[in-house]
Amino acid sequence: MNRRQYLDWLRGMAVLIMIEAHTLDSWTRMADRSRGVYGWAIVVGGFGAPVFLFLAGVALVLAAGSRARKGLSDAEIGECARRRGWQIFGLAFLFRLQSALISGGGLPQALLKVDILNVMGVSMLVAAALWTIGRRPSWRAFLLVAATAAAAMLTPLIRATPILAVLPDPIEWYFRPFPGRTNFTLFPWAGFLLAGSAIGLWLDAARTPHQERRVMTTLAVVGPVVALAGYATSFLPAIYPETSFWTSSPTFFFLRLGILIGALPLAYVWNALFRGWSPLQDFGVASLFVYWIHVEMVYGVPSVAIHRRLSLEQALLAFALFSLCLFGLVKVKDRLPKLSLGTLRFPARKSGKGPAIPPAAPDAR
């Protein structure tokens, strides 16, 4: 099948959500943060990172399926997936180094901070390992689903256990939050990528448009059921003491996961109804680029004059204008392959073709 452009479109939506979360978090003055509109905007912004992780898992398995149809062995496919995971993990440190050089920060602590690229890279390594161990699609699906459930259910226990205290601090930061040192942790965030990998197996098995429509119809039911189950169980007595619903609760994890699953058929239908060029697809294809350049622009030196100084209305207007600016930079980047800068030539890449793996959270700094 051709490239699934609805995945790019959904990733583009996540890019906008990411920009909204970061600009409002960094630029809105404290006096306006108690307003209901701001609270709901941050709730929406909290879905950016799960979408990126979820779609990274989908893309990882779709790429594995494509390589399998080209004749690569399971060992070769697993190696490709692991290589991609290590690349993302390495980019995490390069990103933190860039941040420290531009806006300052104590090294090496700033370099070791755990952000979404760190978690994404490690999660991809785990997904690749489970895919290789599974051998068959049914076993792979079982392992990925089980690992997803484990990532959610073990989160409160992992965060509370004193056993992790014996680990070196930079390793412990991957397992539970530490002020100023973690924006994301493997538990539960890795669960979104593992769940996306399981859904990717399902999508990869759909070899015709008719089969893909059937998968989307099923997902349109599964997604709301999972979300409603997560919401309903949140009213039951907590099985973990002192668990925060908004951070470590398994019920909140499955509520968000259900919404992510349900978003796939919505994106599929939208793209079926409105064909042709879409700026969101361009944003989705260039999502890593947008993530890479915008975080420092929002939280760093370039915008220090407006940090926490705008009214909510001004921050929303700034978000819209900044999004247009970033889209303009994406289009400039896409035109660069047509230019020759001395002996430096950029590989051509058309809109809709290329890597797309990025993320963010309401506080990427």
Side-chain angles (χ1 to χ4, degrees), residues 340-346:
S340 175
L341 303 179
T343 59
L344 178 62
R345 295 181 181 274
F346 294 85

Side-chain angles (χ1 to χ4, degrees), residues 154-365:
L154 293 177
T155 296
L157 300 178
I158 292 293
R159 295 190 176 189
T161 180
I163 298 176
L164 294 179
V166 302
L167 295 174
D169 287 347
I171 303 299
E172 186 179 358
W173 298 340
Y174 281 83
F175 293 95
R176 55 186 174 198
F178 192 89
R181 296 291 176 256
T182 57
N183 288 328
F184 296 89
T185 54
L186 290 173
F187 294 86
W189 293 95
F192 292 113
L193 189 141
L194 296 170
S197 299
I199 297 297
L201 285 172
W202 205 347
L203 289 176
D204 186 59
R207 304 297 172 81
T208 66
H210 175 69
Q211 291 175 339
E212 189 168 29
R213 284 193 296 271
R214 291 182 59 183
V215 170
M216 289 299 163
T217 301
T218 305
L219 292 178
V221 176
V222 171
V225 167
V226 173
L228 288 174
Y231 179 73
T233 53
S234 69
F235 293 97
L236 299 177
I239 61 176
Y240 303 101
E242 301 180 1
T243 298
S244 171
F245 174 79
W246 296 104
T247 56
S248 56
S249 169
T251 57
F252 186 46
F253 173 87
F254 286 109
L255 171 60
R256 287 184 291 178
L257 179 58
I259 293 174
L260 296 181
I261 295 173
L264 280 176
L266 289 178
Y268 176 84
V269 171
W270 180 274
N271 280 262
L273 293 176
F274 302 97
R275 297 181 180 275
W277 175 78
S278 168
L280 284 177
Q281 287 182 8
D282 286 354
F283 252 153
V285 172
S287 52
L288 180 56
F289 169 77
V290 175
Y291 171 72
W292 197 273
I293 66 171
H294 97 281
V295 172
E296 203 59 37
M297 296 170 72
V298 171
Y299 286 101
V301 172
S303 63
V304 67
I306 59 173
H307 285 182
R308 303 195 173 188
R309 295 184 181 180
L310 302 182
S311 68
L312 180 57
E313 290 76 13
Q314 291 172 331
L316 288 170
L317 177 60
F319 152 64
L321 294 176
F322 185 56
S323 298
L324 291 174
C325 175
L326 289 173
F327 184 75
L329 291 176
V330 168
K331 302 310 292 182
V332 169
K333 177 190 69 68
D334 288 343
R335 291 181 180 275
L336 283 179
K338 301 177 183 180
L339 303 177
S340 175
L341 303 179
T343 59
L344 178 62
R345 295 181 181 274
F346 294 85
R349 192 181 96 186
K350 297 180 180 179
S351 176
K353 300 191 179 199
I357 298 182
D363 182 8
R365 293 278 300 173

